[in-house]
Amino acid sequence: MARLAEYRAKRDFDITKEPRGRLNRAAGKSRRFVIQKHDATRLHYDLRLELGGVYRSWAVTKVPSLDPAVKRLAVEVEDHPLDYGTFEGTIPENAYGGGTVQLWDRGQWRPQSERSPAKDLEEGHLKFELDGERMHGGWALIRMRDRDTHRRQARHNWLLVKERDESAIPGEPDALLAASTSVKTGRTLDEIAGGVRPKRTKRIAAARAKPKTVKKKVRAR
Ligand code: MN
């Protein structure tokens, strides 16, 4: 439970509809990832990688860059429960993280090396592949040096960098700004904030049309 202590301490679950969540050690083999676009005090993109029963999380201050030459600041934040991976909605203004949350991408991730990704993160350098609806191919998270070396910072700054591969678009760091709707409900941030009901996205419609066995295989974890 200790891993979610900070997450819970920051939130009043009588006010916010975010999940309390629980540690899910059984899901150790699964490596889901999500990105939640969060229109809070400052708009940012919360990158979450499933690891050790929680989502390790970073707040990326701008849209992830598809140009390998343009690095994005990713501020490490508290681990989030796996239940958080489907959360979309509005957090009241007076609550922690007040603002609108949109499920912007989702899929699977895998480390590029055979090494333990937990150890790679501990050492401040993780290379990984994303198989999402919007994010693809190779990426790297690189921890920056603490400004004050005498005091261990609680929150580390990292850089999120696209690797040079076929899914990179050199010269177009903001290409993903065009992706403005939810991968879960098809809604824009304004529509989520305004309480517009979820739309049936193409992907949802396609999944429903498929026979059950195929759906099971895709969802196996
Ligand atoms: Mn956030």
Side-chain angles (χ1 to χ4, degrees):
M1 285 301 146
R3 302 211 57 177
L4 293 175
E6 188 182 351
Y7 170 87
R8 286 182 183 152
K10 285 182 164 163
R11 290 167 177 81
D12 180 347
F13 295 100
D14 290 336
I15 297 176
T16 182
K17 289 191 191 110
E18 294 165 288
R20 259 188 75 79
R22 58 201 149 81
L23 208 55
N24 188 359
R25 294 208 183 277
K29 285 271 166 63
S30 163
R31 296 211 199 279
R32 286 169 281 182
F33 89 91
V34 293
I35 296 180
Q36 281 152 324
K37 193 172 175 181
H38 187 182
D39 189 12
T41 313
R42 277 191 184 180
L43 183 81
H44 59 271
Y45 293 76
D46 287 306
L47 166 66
R48 310 192 196 283
L49 302 178
E50 178 177 4
L51 190 63
V54 295
Y55 275 119
R56 302 289 290 266
S57 299
W58 293 260
V60 184
T61 54
K62 287 182 181 169
V63 71
S65 166
L66 294 183
D67 182 348
V70 179
K71 302 163 174 67
R72 294 300 199 214
L73 177 64
V75 181
E76 189 179 340
V77 298
E78 76 275 17
D79 295 340
H80 278 52
L82 297 179
D83 295 355
Y84 208 92
T86 53
F87 178 76
E88 179 169 282
T90 301
I91 302 168
E93 286 303 326
N94 60 340
Y96 174 76
T100 307
V101 177
Q102 177 194 62
L103 200 62
W104 186 80
D105 202 7
R106 61 183 169 189
Q108 299 284 321
W109 73 278
R110 60 188 164 84
Q112 279 185 356
S113 80
E114 299 290 306
R115 289 160 47 90
S116 142
K119 194 150 199 293
D120 280 350
L121 284 176
E122 208 179 290
E123 290 171 8
H125 196 116
L126 176 70
K127 285 189 167 195
F128 56 104
E129 303 268 343
L130 290 181
D131 181 16
E133 296 183 37
R134 289 171 176 161
M135 302 271 281
H136 308 281
W139 294 80
L141 274 166
I142 301 148
R143 188 168 60 215
M144 296 165 79
R145 264 191 206 154
D146 289 344
R147 250 168 280 149
D148 184 350
T149 49
H150 300 290
R151 202 164 47 95
R152 225 185 123 80
Q153 268 174 246
R155 282 192 176 191
H156 295 281
N157 287 338
W158 297 62
L159 294 172
L160 176 67
V161 191
K162 180 74 191 94
E163 298 224 326
R164 292 179 193 281
D165 58 20
E166 60 284 353
S167 57
I169 311 183
E172 289 197 46
D174 295 333
L176 284 172
L177 276 181
S180 62
T181 55
S182 161
V183 291
K184 183 185 180 188
T185 63
R187 298 178 296 175
T188 62
L189 274 170
D190 282 349
E191 287 171 337
I192 295 166
V196 172
R197 296 191 59 181
K199 296 166 185 177
R200 188 180 293 191
T201 64
K202 268 186 211 158
R203 195 168 194 250
I204 294 167
R208 280 192 183 139
K210 278 180 199 163
K212 261 186 183 163
T213 48
V214 173
K215 197 175 168 187
K216 246 185 201 166
K217 199 177 166 194
V218 168
R219 301 203 151 209
R221 55 174 77 108

